[in-house]
Structures are given as structure tokens and as C-alpha cells.
Amino acid sequence: MRKDIFQLRQHETSVKQELSAGLIGFFTIAYIIAVNSLILSEAGVPLEGAVLGTILTSFVGCLIMGLYANAPILVVPGMGINAMFTYTLVQSMELTWQQALGVTTVSGLVFTLIAFSSLTTVIKNAIPESIKLAINIGIGLFLMLIGLEKGHLVERGDQSIIALGDFSDPAVFATIVTFIIALILFIRNVKGNFLWTILFGTGIAFLLGVLPSKTNESFSLQGYQEVLGAFSFVDWATLPYLVAVFSITMVVLFENVGLTYSHVAATNRPEKFKKAFQANGISVMLSGLFGSSPTVSTAETTAAITAGGRTGLTTITTGFLFLIVTFFIPYIQMIPANAIAPVLMIIGGLMIQDIKKLDLRDLSESFPAIFIIAMIPFTYSIADGIAIGFILYVILKLSTGSARKVSFTLYVIACLFLLHFIIHFAV
């Protein structure tokens, strides 16, 4: 592989650093294979097909991002949007899972057309700096919450009430020990600290007897034949279908705006936003073809970036690991939660540090930002948190006589988000 393909020298990185970052990124996001597949299966997608659909969608998405945008952004089916696919489109709106895949394909096409037009720059420039910062901070809190839950330090009880986990549980103790080791390694800037964390965490789980057992499940391409290319445009002109396209497009478009901007900013390469955003659009469109819910520039990308990932070689490494893991899924499931949770918590903590850049003096700027920061983890949805922030921003600017400071584009975005909520609750 020629180094100039990814411009490693210009990015002040190396093949070893990129491969290591890609490996770290894979381990932090590998859970999506099982989680996304189970959620899709509840929509009626055959489980075996959903697993392979998730893997191929992730592989192709990472490949497009790495080769086209040369950005270290991991592209996999998004959490939250997969729940919307199953519980809203299929179970509430009563579309078939094949129609839901068709909705995903159409939404991806609309996304791609916008991404390759001047609208991308218009949308990005219309978002205030306070909102951009808040999205990054909110995602950081969200990652911390996911890490705390994966490590069983906090648990969701009845009515989604979050409570402290059982600290007498060996699995919780394993998370605490691993987290302390992870912090020491990270603060001392040990090379490959996240990878060492995963290895130490796995060893601790083994010693405490909480290592997940290997399953005997095997996978074949036969079950995937029902899913590949199964998307349907039947009844595409009906109101439910069009409403579904609108809702999915809104969520996936603006979730990716926030995530992609956050990631390219973290690598100090804002000029990569446009190509990375275009790669996102193409990936969403192909998701429906491969049999998965829409992809996003996943928040766990920050793990790869923090581990030193700077180019598309990081992303391609993760992508090929997704492809290879097809033959080793039972073994990947043996990596314990306590080995991954500390990585997510540390990354989340790093992202939250952006809060010092927020100007809290202007309440019409700070309150929408604060609501985004709070609502992303509390609603367990990046898209809903962003939407609430946009709507509140416009309302407060109007109420304080600062209507002229809001761009026309931002008014349109806020109205579309409001319409999305109205439609969502109506159905």
C-alpha cells in the first residue's frame, strides 16, 4: 500500500499508528453487530441476514469514507436511527421491513443529492458555533452514559430510571479496576493505551470469572439471500411512506451534520467535512441495498481519533476488521463489557471539556446549547437532542428581538424539525 494514497506524512502519522487506531475503533464499535441485528430482527428482518447486512454495510461505509474522504470516521448503522427503523416505521407506521429498507434507500438518495450540492455549505454555515459545541459536548455525555451502562456502573430500571449498579457484582468490580488502569495509562500517555486497556480488561474479566462465553452460532450466506436487495418501493406514493422518508431523512441528515463536523474538527481538518458528508450520504443510500438501517458517522469514532487516527487508513482498517469478523463473531463476543466501557467513558470526558468554550453570558445562545447537552443523553438520541436545541434556539431569538441574527436556513431547519416531531407524535 503506497503511503501517499492517505498522505500519512502530511497528516503526521504512520501506518502503525493508523492500524492501531483502526483496531481500537473496531473494538469500541464491534458491539453494533449484535445490537443492530437484534433491533432489525424485531422488525422482521431474518436475524442471520441482519447480522451479515450490518457487517457488509459497515465494511462498505468505512471503505467509502476512507478512500473518498480520507477521513478517520467510522461509518456504521446508527443507534437510535435503527430503533426508529424498527419501532416507528415498521411497528407504529405498519410498513413492512422491505418497505422500511426502501425508505432508507430513498432517504439516502435525498441525503446524497443534498451532500453533493451547495446546500451542504449553506446548512453547515447556518448552524451557530454554540450549537456546534453543544452537539460535541452532548455526544460526549452520551458516550459516558453508554460506557457507564456497558460497565454496569449504572443501570436502567423500570420506566428507564437510571440507578447505581450492584457494586458487589464481580463484573462491576472488573469495570472499576479496568477504568482505573485505563485512566493511569491514558494520563501517562502510554502508546496504544486504549488497546492495552482492552487487553487488561479482558484479562481481569478472565481472572474474576466474568468473561462472556463463546456461543456456538455459525453464519452462512444462505440467510442473507432474503435480505440483500430486498428493499421495496411498493406504495411509495402513499402518505405513510412519504412521511417515513421525510422523518428518516431529517434525522439522518442532521445527525450526520453534527457528528461529521465534530469529528473533522477533532482532527483539525475542517476542509474534509464536505467529502466526509458526501461519503455519509452514499453510505446511507447503500444501507437499504445491503439490508440495514441507515448509517451514521458514529460517535465511537472519537476512540479511533484519540488513539491517533488521522486518515482514511484508520477507517479502512476498521472496515476490513468488520468483514473478517464474519468468521469470528462468536469469539468477538468474548470481549467483556468492562474492557470497552472505560474507553468510552474517557473519550466522553475528553469531549465534555469543550464546555469551557461555551459563552454562557447570552442566555439565548447558552440555553439551547445546555438543552442539547442534556437532551442527547436523557433522550438517548443524538438526533432528538439536536432537534430540540434548534427549535429552542429560534424561539429564544425571536422572543428577545434578535430575529435578524437567525439565518433563513436556520428558520427552515427548525420548522422542519418541529414538523418532524408533530408527525412522529401523530403516528
Side-chain angles (χ1 to χ4, degrees):
M1 182 181 294
R2 292 175 57 193
K3 291 186 179 182
D4 59 355
I5 294 177
F6 301 104
Q7 302 175 329
L8 300 183
R9 182 174 296 178
Q10 293 92 319
H11 288 80
E12 300 180 348
T13 185
S14 65
V15 171
K16 181 180 178 182
Q17 182 173 311
E18 294 293 297
L19 294 179
S20 175
L23 184 62
I24 291 294
F26 172 75
F27 280 128
T28 57
I29 196 58
Y31 72 87
I32 199 68
I33 297 173
V35 175
N36 191 62
S37 303
L38 288 171
I39 291 176
L40 291 181
S41 69
E42 292 189 31
V45 182
L47 180 59
E48 196 170 80
V51 170
L52 291 171
T54 300
I55 289 173
L56 285 179
T57 298
S58 302
F59 166 67
V60 173
C62 287
L63 205 65
I64 294 171
M65 180 64 73
L67 292 175
Y68 180 71
N70 193 25
I73 299 175
L74 311 184
V75 181
V76 303
M79 291 297 296
I81 192 72
N82 52 10
M84 187 175 178
F85 178 98
T86 293
Y87 305 120
T88 301
L89 266 60
V90 177
Q91 295 187 8
S92 295
M93 301 180 70
E94 298 183 348
L95 299 179
T96 65
W97 63 267
Q98 292 91 340
Q99 285 178 308
L101 290 177
V103 168
T104 299
T105 304
V106 175
S107 298
L109 177 60
V110 175
F111 186 156
T112 303
L113 292 174
I114 292 173
F116 278 89
S117 72
S118 58
L119 283 175
T120 299
T121 304
V122 172
I123 292 171
K124 183 171 73 73
N125 292 340
I127 303 174
E129 189 63 26
S130 60
I131 298 295
K132 291 175 182 176
L133 286 170
I135 291 171
N136 199 43
I137 299 164
I139 292 171
L141 276 175
F142 190 40
L143 282 178
M144 285 198 77
L145 176 59
I146 292 173
L148 289 167
E149 287 188 341
K150 283 182 73 69
H152 303 291
L153 296 178
V154 300
E155 295 179 347
R156 284 174 175 261
D158 295 336
Q159 299 176 337
S160 295
I161 296 173
I162 297 176
L164 286 174
D166 181 4
F167 281 71
S168 63
D169 186 344
V172 176
F173 181 71
T175 300
I176 295 171
V177 175
T178 308
F179 180 61
I180 293 171
I181 293 173
L183 273 178
I184 294 171
L185 292 174
F186 182 79
I187 291 173
R188 292 183 65 86
N189 199 27
V190 175
K191 285 189 176 181
N193 53 80
F194 285 157
L195 185 56
W196 281 114
T197 295
I198 293 170
L199 292 174
F200 278 125
T202 303
I204 291 167
F206 174 76
L207 292 174
L208 293 176
V210 293
L211 198 66
S213 59
K214 182 176 78 70
T215 65
N216 294 318
E217 294 179 43
S218 59
F219 295 87
S220 67
L221 291 175
Q222 185 175 357
Y224 188 50
Q225 293 175 355
E226 299 178 53
V227 177
L228 179 64
F231 60 91
S232 171
F233 300 130
V234 173
D235 298 329
W236 67 270
T238 60
L239 184 60
Y241 200 101
L242 295 175
V243 166
V245 169
F246 171 77
S247 298
I248 289 288
T249 303
M250 282 293 296
V251 172
V252 79
L253 180 68
F254 287 98
E255 182 166 354
N256 274 300
V257 166
L259 286 164
T260 305
Y261 179 84
S262 171
H263 296 325
V264 296
T267 59
N268 294 316
R269 296 280 178 170
E271 69 276 5
K272 290 189 177 184
F273 174 82
K274 188 169 184 179
K275 277 198 168 185
F277 195 58
Q278 290 169 347
N280 270 317
I282 297 170
S283 179
V284 172
M285 184 169 57
L286 293 176
S287 298
L289 173 64
F290 288 117
S292 174
S293 52
T295 54
V296 299
S297 294
T298 179
E300 284 83 356
T301 289
T302 316
I305 293 173
T306 307
R310 293 295 178 269
T311 73
L313 182 55
T314 292
T315 313
I316 290 174
T317 300
T318 301
F320 272 102
L321 287 172
F322 267 108
L323 194 61
I324 293 170
V325 83
T326 304
F327 306 101
F328 301 98
I329 288 174
Y331 297 96
I332 287 295
Q333 292 172 345
M334 291 180 67
I335 298 173
N338 70 282
I340 302 299
V343 175
L344 296 176
M345 287 188 282
I346 290 172
I347 293 164
L350 290 173
M351 295 176 72
I352 293 170
Q353 291 182 90
D354 276 349
I355 199 166
K356 63 177 179 277
K357 300 177 184 177
L358 274 178
D359 184 359
L360 301 177
R361 291 170 295 181
D362 184 350
L363 295 182
S364 67
E365 292 278 341
S366 63
F367 258 74
I370 290 169
F371 265 82
I372 288 175
I373 293 168
M375 295 303 287
I376 286 178
F378 286 166
T379 62
Y380 222 77
S381 169
I382 295 170
D384 286 348
I386 291 173
I388 291 167
F390 272 113
I391 295 168
L392 187 59
Y393 186 90
V394 169
I395 291 173
L396 291 184
K397 287 298 181 183
L398 286 171
S399 65
T400 55
S402 303
R404 292 184 179 180
K405 294 182 180 180
V406 180
S407 67
F408 174 75
T409 305
L410 198 57
Y411 281 118
V412 173
I413 294 171
C415 287
L416 288 173
F417 270 127
L418 184 60
L419 181 60
H420 162 70
F421 279 131
I422 292 171
I423 292 173
H424 177 73
F425 289 115
V427 298

